[in-house]
mmCIF file of all heavy atoms in Angstrom:
data_model
loop_
_atom_site.group_PDB
_atom_site.id
_atom_site.type_symbol
_atom_site.label_atom_id
_atom_site.label_comp_id
_atom_site.label_asym_id
_atom_site.label_seq_id
_atom_site.Cartn_x
_atom_site.Cartn_y
_atom_site.Cartn_z
ATOM 1 N N ASP A 1 6.678 -17.089 -17.358
ATOM 2 C CA ASP A 1 7.178 -18.438 -17.217
ATOM 3 C C ASP A 1 6.047 -19.477 -17.460
ATOM 4 O O ASP A 1 5.465 -19.942 -16.568
ATOM 5 C CB ASP A 1 7.779 -18.637 -15.861
ATOM 6 C CG ASP A 1 8.510 -20.017 -15.744
ATOM 7 O OD1 ASP A 1 8.602 -20.709 -16.784
ATOM 8 O OD2 ASP A 1 8.959 -20.368 -14.670
ATOM 9 N N TYR A 2 5.696 -19.672 -18.789
ATOM 10 C CA TYR A 2 4.641 -20.543 -19.141
ATOM 11 C C TYR A 2 4.824 -21.916 -18.541
ATOM 12 O O TYR A 2 3.850 -22.587 -18.064
ATOM 13 C CB TYR A 2 4.434 -20.583 -20.633
ATOM 14 C CG TYR A 2 4.063 -19.261 -21.272
ATOM 15 C CD1 TYR A 2 5.025 -18.465 -21.927
ATOM 16 C CD2 TYR A 2 2.783 -18.777 -21.148
ATOM 17 C CE1 TYR A 2 4.655 -17.303 -22.462
ATOM 18 C CE2 TYR A 2 2.447 -17.532 -21.707
ATOM 19 C CZ TYR A 2 3.413 -16.809 -22.388
ATOM 20 O OH TYR A 2 3.077 -15.614 -22.930
ATOM 21 N N GLY A 3 6.096 -22.429 -18.638
ATOM 22 C CA GLY A 3 6.301 -23.819 -18.183
ATOM 23 C C GLY A 3 6.375 -23.881 -16.647
ATOM 24 O O GLY A 3 6.450 -25.000 -16.139
ATOM 25 N N GLY A 4 6.381 -22.721 -15.977
ATOM 26 C CA GLY A 4 6.549 -22.736 -14.564
ATOM 27 C C GLY A 4 5.280 -22.330 -13.808
ATOM 28 O O GLY A 4 5.321 -22.056 -12.538
ATOM 29 N N ILE A 5 4.124 -22.346 -14.505
ATOM 30 C CA ILE A 5 2.887 -22.096 -13.731
ATOM 31 C C ILE A 5 2.569 -23.158 -12.757
ATOM 32 O O ILE A 5 2.535 -24.326 -13.061
ATOM 33 C CB ILE A 5 1.677 -22.014 -14.750
ATOM 34 C CG1 ILE A 5 1.848 -20.770 -15.701
ATOM 35 C CG2 ILE A 5 0.354 -21.856 -13.967
ATOM 36 C CD1 ILE A 5 0.799 -20.631 -16.737
ATOM 37 N N GLN A 6 2.527 -22.790 -11.450
ATOM 38 C CA GLN A 6 2.410 -23.778 -10.398
ATOM 39 C C GLN A 6 0.921 -23.882 -9.950
ATOM 40 O O GLN A 6 0.275 -22.905 -9.705
ATOM 41 C CB GLN A 6 3.216 -23.343 -9.222
ATOM 42 C CG GLN A 6 4.719 -23.258 -9.503
ATOM 43 C CD GLN A 6 5.338 -24.598 -9.830
ATOM 44 O OE1 GLN A 6 4.969 -25.613 -9.217
ATOM 45 N NE2 GLN A 6 6.298 -24.528 -10.777
ATOM 46 N N MET A 7 0.431 -25.070 -9.911
ATOM 47 C CA MET A 7 -0.923 -25.364 -9.438
ATOM 48 C C MET A 7 -0.882 -25.998 -8.087
ATOM 49 O O MET A 7 -0.031 -26.870 -7.765
ATOM 50 C CB MET A 7 -1.661 -26.359 -10.381
ATOM 51 C CG MET A 7 -1.717 -25.796 -11.846
ATOM 52 S SD MET A 7 -2.617 -24.281 -12.080
ATOM 53 C CE MET A 7 -4.186 -24.739 -11.272
ATOM 54 N N SER A 8 -1.764 -25.558 -7.184
ATOM 55 C CA SER A 8 -1.810 -26.188 -5.859
ATOM 56 C C SER A 8 -3.349 -26.239 -5.389
ATOM 57 O O SER A 8 -4.175 -25.572 -5.984
ATOM 58 C CB SER A 8 -1.034 -25.294 -4.846
ATOM 59 O OG SER A 8 -1.479 -23.978 -4.777
ATOM 60 N N PHE A 9 -3.510 -27.070 -4.341
ATOM 61 C CA PHE A 9 -4.871 -27.308 -3.901
ATOM 62 C C PHE A 9 -4.906 -27.154 -2.384
ATOM 63 O O PHE A 9 -4.023 -27.718 -1.665
ATOM 64 C CB PHE A 9 -5.281 -28.723 -4.301
ATOM 65 C CG PHE A 9 -6.613 -29.177 -3.698
ATOM 66 C CD1 PHE A 9 -7.834 -28.695 -4.211
ATOM 67 C CD2 PHE A 9 -6.656 -30.040 -2.701
ATOM 68 C CE1 PHE A 9 -9.002 -29.107 -3.739
ATOM 69 C CE2 PHE A 9 -7.855 -30.495 -2.170
ATOM 70 C CZ PHE A 9 -9.081 -30.038 -2.701
ATOM 71 N N HIS A 10 -5.856 -26.442 -1.822
ATOM 72 C CA HIS A 10 -6.030 -26.265 -0.390
ATOM 73 C C HIS A 10 -7.386 -25.966 -0.031
ATOM 74 O O HIS A 10 -8.050 -25.010 -0.500
ATOM 75 C CB HIS A 10 -5.051 -25.151 0.026
ATOM 76 C CG HIS A 10 -5.140 -24.953 1.547
ATOM 77 N ND1 HIS A 10 -4.692 -25.887 2.481
ATOM 78 C CD2 HIS A 10 -5.590 -23.894 2.286
ATOM 79 C CE1 HIS A 10 -4.804 -25.385 3.677
ATOM 80 N NE2 HIS A 10 -5.398 -24.155 3.604
ATOM 81 N N LYS A 11 -8.011 -26.809 0.825
ATOM 82 C CA LYS A 11 -9.338 -26.609 1.347
ATOM 83 C C LYS A 11 -10.384 -26.394 0.196
ATOM 84 O O LYS A 11 -11.100 -25.355 0.177
ATOM 85 C CB LYS A 11 -9.367 -25.435 2.341
ATOM 86 C CG LYS A 11 -8.641 -25.701 3.637
ATOM 87 C CD LYS A 11 -8.781 -24.590 4.618
ATOM 88 C CE LYS A 11 -7.989 -24.914 5.914
ATOM 89 N NZ LYS A 11 -8.082 -23.793 6.878
ATOM 90 N N GLU A 12 -10.401 -27.243 -0.742
ATOM 91 C CA GLU A 12 -11.342 -27.243 -1.819
ATOM 92 C C GLU A 12 -11.114 -26.084 -2.874
ATOM 93 O O GLU A 12 -11.934 -25.888 -3.739
ATOM 94 C CB GLU A 12 -12.767 -27.102 -1.354
ATOM 95 C CG GLU A 12 -13.195 -28.289 -0.381
ATOM 96 C CD GLU A 12 -13.076 -29.660 -0.978
ATOM 97 O OE1 GLU A 12 -13.418 -29.756 -2.201
ATOM 98 O OE2 GLU A 12 -12.666 -30.613 -0.275
ATOM 99 N N GLN A 13 -10.065 -25.363 -2.698
ATOM 100 C CA GLN A 13 -9.731 -24.208 -3.559
ATOM 101 C C GLN A 13 -8.429 -24.569 -4.334
ATOM 102 O O GLN A 13 -7.505 -25.139 -3.786
ATOM 103 C CB GLN A 13 -9.590 -22.933 -2.816
ATOM 104 C CG GLN A 13 -10.867 -22.451 -2.250
ATOM 105 C CD GLN A 13 -10.679 -21.093 -1.539
ATOM 106 O OE1 GLN A 13 -9.628 -20.662 -1.138
ATOM 107 N NE2 GLN A 13 -11.876 -20.353 -1.428
ATOM 108 N N PHE A 14 -8.414 -24.121 -5.584
ATOM 109 C CA PHE A 14 -7.260 -24.286 -6.411
ATOM 110 C C PHE A 14 -6.520 -22.927 -6.636
ATOM 111 O O PHE A 14 -7.182 -21.878 -6.753
ATOM 112 C CB PHE A 14 -7.680 -24.849 -7.733
ATOM 113 C CG PHE A 14 -8.168 -26.256 -7.650
ATOM 114 C CD1 PHE A 14 -9.517 -26.521 -7.302
ATOM 115 C CD2 PHE A 14 -7.373 -27.362 -7.817
ATOM 116 C CE1 PHE A 14 -10.051 -27.764 -7.174
ATOM 117 C CE2 PHE A 14 -7.895 -28.649 -7.660
ATOM 118 C CZ PHE A 14 -9.198 -28.843 -7.323
ATOM 119 N N PHE A 15 -5.239 -22.998 -6.668
ATOM 120 C CA PHE A 15 -4.426 -21.827 -6.782
ATOM 121 C C PHE A 15 -3.500 -21.955 -8.026
ATOM 122 O O PHE A 15 -2.745 -22.983 -8.113
ATOM 123 C CB PHE A 15 -3.550 -21.542 -5.549
ATOM 124 C CG PHE A 15 -4.370 -21.377 -4.265
ATOM 125 C CD1 PHE A 15 -4.904 -22.467 -3.621
ATOM 126 C CD2 PHE A 15 -4.598 -20.108 -3.776
ATOM 127 C CE1 PHE A 15 -5.672 -22.307 -2.434
ATOM 128 C CE2 PHE A 15 -5.373 -19.911 -2.636
ATOM 129 C CZ PHE A 15 -5.898 -21.034 -1.953
ATOM 130 N N ALA A 16 -3.491 -20.986 -8.925
ATOM 131 C CA ALA A 16 -2.515 -20.894 -9.988
ATOM 132 C C ALA A 16 -1.575 -19.747 -9.717
ATOM 133 O O ALA A 16 -1.952 -18.625 -9.468
ATOM 134 C CB ALA A 16 -3.222 -20.646 -11.304
ATOM 135 N N ASN A 17 -0.274 -20.120 -9.574
ATOM 136 C CA ASN A 17 0.800 -19.110 -9.286
ATOM 137 C C ASN A 17 1.587 -18.883 -10.546
ATOM 138 O O ASN A 17 2.249 -19.756 -11.030
ATOM 139 C CB ASN A 17 1.672 -19.689 -8.166
ATOM 140 C CG ASN A 17 2.512 -18.565 -7.548
ATOM 141 O OD1 ASN A 17 2.910 -17.626 -8.264
ATOM 142 N ND2 ASN A 17 2.834 -18.694 -6.262
ATOM 143 N N ILE A 18 1.470 -17.607 -11.012
ATOM 144 C CA ILE A 18 2.142 -17.272 -12.316
ATOM 145 C C ILE A 18 3.210 -16.257 -12.156
ATOM 146 O O ILE A 18 2.965 -15.192 -11.580
ATOM 147 C CB ILE A 18 1.029 -16.707 -13.318
ATOM 148 C CG1 ILE A 18 -0.122 -17.729 -13.470
ATOM 149 C CG2 ILE A 18 1.615 -16.362 -14.652
ATOM 150 C CD1 ILE A 18 -1.311 -17.182 -14.203
ATOM 151 N N SER A 19 4.389 -16.583 -12.641
ATOM 152 C CA SER A 19 5.550 -15.658 -12.497
ATOM 153 C C SER A 19 5.701 -14.859 -13.792
ATOM 154 O O SER A 19 5.668 -15.480 -14.849
ATOM 155 C CB SER A 19 6.844 -16.439 -12.210
ATOM 156 O OG SER A 19 7.916 -15.642 -12.347
ATOM 157 N N LEU A 20 5.779 -13.575 -13.654
ATOM 158 C CA LEU A 20 6.046 -12.781 -14.858
ATOM 159 C C LEU A 20 7.033 -11.619 -14.542
ATOM 160 O O LEU A 20 7.113 -11.146 -13.456
ATOM 161 C CB LEU A 20 4.713 -12.219 -15.467
ATOM 162 C CG LEU A 20 3.727 -11.502 -14.514
ATOM 163 C CD1 LEU A 20 4.039 -10.082 -14.450
ATOM 164 C CD2 LEU A 20 2.341 -11.733 -14.960
ATOM 165 N N GLU A 21 7.699 -11.150 -15.629
ATOM 166 C CA GLU A 21 8.680 -10.128 -15.404
ATOM 167 C C GLU A 21 8.855 -9.263 -16.760
ATOM 168 O O GLU A 21 8.511 -9.805 -17.826
ATOM 169 C CB GLU A 21 10.017 -10.653 -14.940
ATOM 170 C CG GLU A 21 10.618 -11.678 -15.866
ATOM 171 C CD GLU A 21 11.826 -12.295 -15.248
ATOM 172 O OE1 GLU A 21 12.776 -11.497 -14.835
ATOM 173 O OE2 GLU A 21 11.951 -13.564 -15.139
ATOM 174 N N PHE A 22 9.254 -8.024 -16.627
ATOM 175 C CA PHE A 22 9.479 -7.245 -17.783
ATOM 176 C C PHE A 22 10.377 -6.013 -17.466
ATOM 177 O O PHE A 22 10.687 -5.819 -16.225
ATOM 178 C CB PHE A 22 8.126 -6.706 -18.361
ATOM 179 C CG PHE A 22 7.220 -6.136 -17.385
ATOM 180 C CD1 PHE A 22 7.327 -4.745 -17.040
ATOM 181 C CD2 PHE A 22 6.195 -6.888 -16.763
ATOM 182 C CE1 PHE A 22 6.513 -4.226 -16.078
ATOM 183 C CE2 PHE A 22 5.322 -6.284 -15.811
ATOM 184 C CZ PHE A 22 5.537 -4.960 -15.473
ATOM 185 N N ASP A 23 10.813 -5.320 -18.483
ATOM 186 C CA ASP A 23 11.654 -4.132 -18.252
ATOM 187 C C ASP A 23 10.830 -2.891 -18.519
ATOM 188 O O ASP A 23 9.827 -2.926 -19.278
ATOM 189 C CB ASP A 23 12.837 -4.183 -19.204
ATOM 190 C CG ASP A 23 13.807 -5.329 -18.939
ATOM 191 O OD1 ASP A 23 13.804 -5.764 -17.767
ATOM 192 O OD2 ASP A 23 14.453 -5.747 -19.862
ATOM 193 N N ILE A 24 11.202 -1.782 -17.946
ATOM 194 C CA ILE A 24 10.632 -0.480 -18.202
ATOM 195 C C ILE A 24 11.741 0.432 -18.690
ATOM 196 O O ILE A 24 12.781 0.648 -18.057
ATOM 197 C CB ILE A 24 9.935 0.054 -16.986
ATOM 198 C CG1 ILE A 24 8.763 -0.812 -16.518
ATOM 199 C CG2 ILE A 24 9.420 1.490 -17.172
ATOM 200 C CD1 ILE A 24 8.099 -0.354 -15.251
ATOM 201 N N ASP A 25 11.506 1.039 -19.894
ATOM 202 C CA ASP A 25 12.501 2.042 -20.457
ATOM 203 C C ASP A 25 11.867 3.405 -20.264
ATOM 204 O O ASP A 25 10.783 3.723 -20.841
ATOM 205 C CB ASP A 25 12.738 1.792 -21.900
ATOM 206 C CG ASP A 25 13.525 0.435 -22.035
ATOM 207 O OD1 ASP A 25 14.047 -0.013 -21.120
ATOM 208 O OD2 ASP A 25 13.446 -0.139 -23.164
ATOM 209 N N LEU A 26 12.564 4.256 -19.531
ATOM 210 C CA LEU A 26 12.147 5.649 -19.379
ATOM 211 C C LEU A 26 13.011 6.550 -20.135
ATOM 212 O O LEU A 26 14.279 6.626 -19.866
ATOM 213 C CB LEU A 26 12.184 5.964 -17.854
ATOM 214 C CG LEU A 26 11.947 7.472 -17.401
ATOM 215 C CD1 LEU A 26 10.460 7.863 -17.730
ATOM 216 C CD2 LEU A 26 12.258 7.609 -15.966
ATOM 217 N N ARG A 27 12.508 7.259 -21.113
ATOM 218 C CA ARG A 27 13.361 8.094 -22.000
ATOM 219 C C ARG A 27 12.605 9.205 -22.565
ATOM 220 O O ARG A 27 11.384 9.128 -22.814
ATOM 221 C CB ARG A 27 13.911 7.264 -23.118
ATOM 222 C CG ARG A 27 12.931 6.662 -24.151
ATOM 223 C CD ARG A 27 13.654 5.936 -25.260
ATOM 224 N NE ARG A 27 14.070 4.566 -24.763
ATOM 225 C CZ ARG A 27 14.824 3.866 -25.517
ATOM 226 N NH1 ARG A 27 15.251 4.242 -26.722
ATOM 227 N NH2 ARG A 27 15.191 2.647 -25.088
ATOM 228 N N PRO A 28 13.228 10.366 -22.885
ATOM 229 C CA PRO A 28 14.591 10.724 -22.431
ATOM 230 C C PRO A 28 14.443 11.221 -21.051
ATOM 231 O O PRO A 28 13.630 12.102 -20.756
ATOM 232 C CB PRO A 28 15.027 11.721 -23.442
ATOM 233 C CG PRO A 28 13.771 12.382 -23.839
ATOM 234 C CD PRO A 28 12.637 11.385 -23.820
ATOM 235 N N ALA A 29 15.296 10.802 -20.086
ATOM 236 C CA ALA A 29 15.309 11.334 -18.721
ATOM 237 C C ALA A 29 16.641 12.057 -18.579
ATOM 238 O O ALA A 29 17.650 11.456 -18.383
ATOM 239 C CB ALA A 29 15.191 10.217 -17.729
ATOM 240 N N LEU A 30 16.541 13.394 -18.609
ATOM 241 C CA LEU A 30 17.698 14.225 -18.495
ATOM 242 C C LEU A 30 18.741 13.755 -19.503
ATOM 243 O O LEU A 30 19.934 13.600 -19.251
ATOM 244 C CB LEU A 30 18.373 14.176 -17.089
ATOM 245 C CG LEU A 30 17.463 14.684 -15.929
ATOM 246 C CD1 LEU A 30 18.168 14.479 -14.608
ATOM 247 C CD2 LEU A 30 17.133 16.118 -16.137
ATOM 248 N N ASN A 31 18.254 13.543 -20.751
ATOM 249 C CA ASN A 31 19.033 13.091 -21.912
ATOM 250 C C ASN A 31 19.635 11.752 -21.732
ATOM 251 O O ASN A 31 20.518 11.337 -22.473
ATOM 252 C CB ASN A 31 20.161 14.159 -22.161
ATOM 253 C CG ASN A 31 19.578 15.478 -22.504
ATOM 254 O OD1 ASN A 31 18.605 15.608 -23.200
ATOM 255 N ND2 ASN A 31 20.192 16.570 -21.967
ATOM 256 N N ASN A 32 19.153 10.913 -20.746
ATOM 257 C CA ASN A 32 19.631 9.611 -20.526
ATOM 258 C C ASN A 32 18.414 8.649 -20.674
ATOM 259 O O ASN A 32 17.290 9.036 -20.652
ATOM 260 C CB ASN A 32 20.280 9.425 -19.171
ATOM 261 C CG ASN A 32 21.522 10.229 -19.001
ATOM 262 O OD1 ASN A 32 22.329 10.332 -19.929
ATOM 263 N ND2 ASN A 32 21.702 10.907 -17.881
ATOM 264 N N ILE A 33 18.746 7.359 -20.804
ATOM 265 C CA ILE A 33 17.731 6.359 -20.702
ATOM 266 C C ILE A 33 17.837 5.629 -19.422
ATOM 267 O O ILE A 33 18.907 5.131 -19.000
ATOM 268 C CB ILE A 33 17.868 5.318 -21.904
ATOM 269 C CG1 ILE A 33 17.736 6.034 -23.231
ATOM 270 C CG2 ILE A 33 16.845 4.180 -21.767
ATOM 271 C CD1 ILE A 33 18.046 5.124 -24.376
ATOM 272 N N VAL A 34 16.765 5.543 -18.631
ATOM 273 C CA VAL A 34 16.729 4.847 -17.371
ATOM 274 C C VAL A 34 16.004 3.567 -17.560
ATOM 275 O O VAL A 34 14.806 3.515 -18.065
ATOM 276 C CB VAL A 34 16.051 5.707 -16.291
ATOM 277 C CG1 VAL A 34 15.952 4.924 -15.013
ATOM 278 C CG2 VAL A 34 16.818 6.996 -16.102
ATOM 279 N N ASN A 35 16.637 2.455 -17.241
ATOM 280 C CA ASN A 35 16.032 1.102 -17.326
ATOM 281 C C ASN A 35 15.734 0.568 -16.006
ATOM 282 O O ASN A 35 16.558 0.596 -15.083
ATOM 283 C CB ASN A 35 17.024 0.190 -18.110
ATOM 284 C CG ASN A 35 17.423 0.692 -19.475
ATOM 285 O OD1 ASN A 35 18.574 1.051 -19.696
ATOM 286 N ND2 ASN A 35 16.375 0.777 -20.360
ATOM 287 N N MET A 36 14.520 -0.025 -15.891
ATOM 288 C CA MET A 36 14.100 -0.696 -14.711
ATOM 289 C C MET A 36 13.665 -2.155 -15.004
ATOM 290 O O MET A 36 13.245 -2.399 -16.159
ATOM 291 C CB MET A 36 12.972 0.045 -13.969
ATOM 292 C CG MET A 36 13.299 1.435 -13.576
ATOM 293 S SD MET A 36 11.929 2.231 -12.675
ATOM 294 C CE MET A 36 12.630 3.814 -12.375
ATOM 295 N N HIS A 37 13.659 -2.983 -13.994
ATOM 296 C CA HIS A 37 13.211 -4.368 -14.209
ATOM 297 C C HIS A 37 12.157 -4.681 -13.134
ATOM 298 O O HIS A 37 12.304 -4.275 -11.979
ATOM 299 C CB HIS A 37 14.349 -5.316 -14.054
ATOM 300 C CG HIS A 37 13.934 -6.756 -14.269
ATOM 301 N ND1 HIS A 37 13.646 -7.266 -15.546
ATOM 302 C CD2 HIS A 37 13.716 -7.775 -13.416
ATOM 303 C CE1 HIS A 37 13.325 -8.548 -15.475
ATOM 304 N NE2 HIS A 37 13.385 -8.870 -14.209
ATOM 305 N N VAL A 38 11.056 -5.315 -13.573
ATOM 306 C CA VAL A 38 9.956 -5.607 -12.686
ATOM 307 C C VAL A 38 9.699 -7.085 -12.676
ATOM 308 O O VAL A 38 9.747 -7.747 -13.722
ATOM 309 C CB VAL A 38 8.637 -4.876 -13.133
ATOM 310 C CG1 VAL A 38 7.471 -5.239 -12.191
ATOM 311 C CG2 VAL A 38 8.817 -3.367 -13.181
ATOM 312 N N HIS A 39 9.512 -7.659 -11.471
ATOM 313 C CA HIS A 39 9.205 -9.057 -11.341
ATOM 314 C C HIS A 39 8.143 -9.271 -10.351
ATOM 315 O O HIS A 39 8.131 -8.579 -9.326
ATOM 316 C CB HIS A 39 10.489 -9.899 -10.884
ATOM 317 C CG HIS A 39 10.189 -11.376 -10.812
ATOM 318 N ND1 HIS A 39 9.838 -12.030 -9.606
ATOM 319 C CD2 HIS A 39 10.220 -12.362 -11.766
ATOM 320 C CE1 HIS A 39 9.644 -13.252 -9.829
ATOM 321 N NE2 HIS A 39 9.845 -13.496 -11.146
ATOM 322 N N MET A 40 7.147 -10.085 -10.625
ATOM 323 C CA MET A 40 6.016 -10.283 -9.691
ATOM 324 C C MET A 40 5.395 -11.597 -9.865
ATOM 325 O O MET A 40 5.666 -12.382 -10.862
ATOM 326 C CB MET A 40 4.962 -9.225 -9.931
ATOM 327 C CG MET A 40 4.316 -9.271 -11.305
ATOM 328 S SD MET A 40 3.086 -7.981 -11.592
ATOM 329 C CE MET A 40 4.185 -6.624 -11.623
ATOM 330 N N TYR A 41 4.573 -12.028 -8.906
ATOM 331 C CA TYR A 41 3.797 -13.264 -8.997
ATOM 332 C C TYR A 41 2.331 -12.915 -8.843
ATOM 333 O O TYR A 41 1.872 -12.159 -8.065
ATOM 334 C CB TYR A 41 4.163 -14.160 -7.777
ATOM 335 C CG TYR A 41 5.515 -14.875 -7.904
ATOM 336 C CD1 TYR A 41 6.635 -14.309 -7.340
ATOM 337 C CD2 TYR A 41 5.652 -16.037 -8.676
ATOM 338 C CE1 TYR A 41 7.895 -14.899 -7.480
ATOM 339 C CE2 TYR A 41 6.858 -16.674 -8.816
ATOM 340 C CZ TYR A 41 7.921 -16.084 -8.195
ATOM 341 O OH TYR A 41 9.191 -16.702 -8.376
ATOM 342 N N LEU A 42 1.582 -13.468 -9.813
ATOM 343 C CA LEU A 42 0.111 -13.369 -9.863
ATOM 344 C C LEU A 42 -0.505 -14.632 -9.425
ATOM 345 O O LEU A 42 -0.178 -15.724 -9.863
ATOM 346 C CB LEU A 42 -0.324 -13.022 -11.327
ATOM 347 C CG LEU A 42 -1.767 -12.643 -11.500
ATOM 348 C CD1 LEU A 42 -1.985 -11.226 -11.032
ATOM 349 C CD2 LEU A 42 -2.201 -12.727 -12.979
ATOM 350 N N ILE A 43 -1.474 -14.493 -8.470
ATOM 351 C CA ILE A 43 -2.144 -15.696 -7.951
ATOM 352 C C ILE A 43 -3.636 -15.674 -8.298
ATOM 353 O O ILE A 43 -4.272 -14.598 -8.090
ATOM 354 C CB ILE A 43 -1.954 -15.810 -6.404
ATOM 355 C CG1 ILE A 43 -0.436 -15.928 -6.043
ATOM 356 C CG2 ILE A 43 -2.771 -16.930 -5.776
ATOM 357 C CD1 ILE A 43 -0.153 -15.919 -4.570
ATOM 358 N N VAL A 44 -4.160 -16.808 -8.835
ATOM 359 C CA VAL A 44 -5.532 -16.880 -9.154
ATOM 360 C C VAL A 44 -6.122 -17.998 -8.287
ATOM 361 O O VAL A 44 -5.595 -19.078 -8.252
ATOM 362 C CB VAL A 44 -5.716 -17.255 -10.667
ATOM 363 C CG1 VAL A 44 -7.192 -17.141 -11.016
ATOM 364 C CG2 VAL A 44 -4.927 -16.272 -11.596
ATOM 365 N N VAL A 45 -7.220 -17.709 -7.661
ATOM 366 C CA VAL A 45 -7.954 -18.686 -6.808
ATOM 367 C C VAL A 45 -9.304 -19.025 -7.430
ATOM 368 O O VAL A 45 -10.068 -18.154 -7.825
ATOM 369 C CB VAL A 45 -8.193 -18.142 -5.377
ATOM 370 C CG1 VAL A 45 -8.786 -19.215 -4.468
ATOM 371 C CG2 VAL A 45 -6.935 -17.585 -4.810
ATOM 372 N N PHE A 46 -9.636 -20.331 -7.536
ATOM 373 C CA PHE A 46 -10.870 -20.728 -8.117
ATOM 374 C C PHE A 46 -11.315 -22.050 -7.564
ATOM 375 O O PHE A 46 -10.527 -22.786 -7.037
ATOM 376 C CB PHE A 46 -10.808 -20.785 -9.643
ATOM 377 C CG PHE A 46 -9.681 -21.614 -10.228
ATOM 378 C CD1 PHE A 46 -9.988 -22.981 -10.629
ATOM 379 C CD2 PHE A 46 -8.409 -21.173 -10.341
ATOM 380 C CE1 PHE A 46 -8.959 -23.783 -11.057
ATOM 381 C CE2 PHE A 46 -7.382 -22.021 -10.781
ATOM 382 C CZ PHE A 46 -7.616 -23.275 -11.221
ATOM 383 N N TRP A 47 -12.612 -22.354 -7.698
ATOM 384 C CA TRP A 47 -13.176 -23.605 -7.168
ATOM 385 C C TRP A 47 -14.448 -23.909 -7.866
ATOM 386 O O TRP A 47 -15.044 -23.086 -8.636
ATOM 387 C CB TRP A 47 -13.409 -23.485 -5.652
ATOM 388 C CG TRP A 47 -14.301 -22.494 -5.256
ATOM 389 C CD1 TRP A 47 -15.650 -22.606 -4.992
ATOM 390 C CD2 TRP A 47 -14.013 -21.065 -4.950
ATOM 391 N NE1 TRP A 47 -16.222 -21.423 -4.661
ATOM 392 C CE2 TRP A 47 -15.245 -20.465 -4.544
ATOM 393 C CE3 TRP A 47 -12.884 -20.248 -4.940
ATOM 394 C CZ2 TRP A 47 -15.313 -19.121 -4.198
ATOM 395 C CZ3 TRP A 47 -12.923 -18.983 -4.630
ATOM 396 C CH2 TRP A 47 -14.136 -18.422 -4.266
ATOM 397 N N LEU A 48 -14.946 -25.112 -7.638
ATOM 398 C CA LEU A 48 -16.255 -25.532 -8.231
ATOM 399 C C LEU A 48 -17.259 -25.493 -7.061
ATOM 400 O O LEU A 48 -17.019 -26.035 -5.977
ATOM 401 C CB LEU A 48 -16.182 -26.950 -8.750
ATOM 402 C CG LEU A 48 -15.545 -27.064 -10.138
ATOM 403 C CD1 LEU A 48 -15.477 -28.524 -10.583
ATOM 404 C CD2 LEU A 48 -16.291 -26.249 -11.210
#
């Protein structure tokens, strides 16, 4: 979510909160395709 990167500030530190998601295709699994979905938030902390 490029447009949804959230910036915040707390005690002289800056936080970038990045949301990302993707699918996982597992094949062939017992002659079937198993699909999974992953969603997570990545947080980066930085300061001067």
Side-chain angles (χ1 to χ4, degrees):
D1 187 5
Y2 296 103
I5 296 178
Q6 301 293 324
M7 303 298 305
S8 58
F9 173 75
H10 180 66
K11 293 183 178 179
E12 304 300 323
Q13 293 184 336
F14 294 84
F15 300 80
N17 196 326
I18 304 171
S19 169
L20 51 89
E21 56 188 306
F22 50 84
D23 296 332
I24 295 177
D25 294 338
L26 173 67
R27 66 178 75 190
L30 297 177
N31 299 320
N32 294 319
I33 299 174
V34 175
N35 303 113
M36 299 182 180
H37 182 75
V38 179
H39 183 266
M40 65 181 68
Y41 286 95
L42 187 76
I43 298 176
V44 187
V45 186
F46 55 97
W47 63 92
L48 283 177

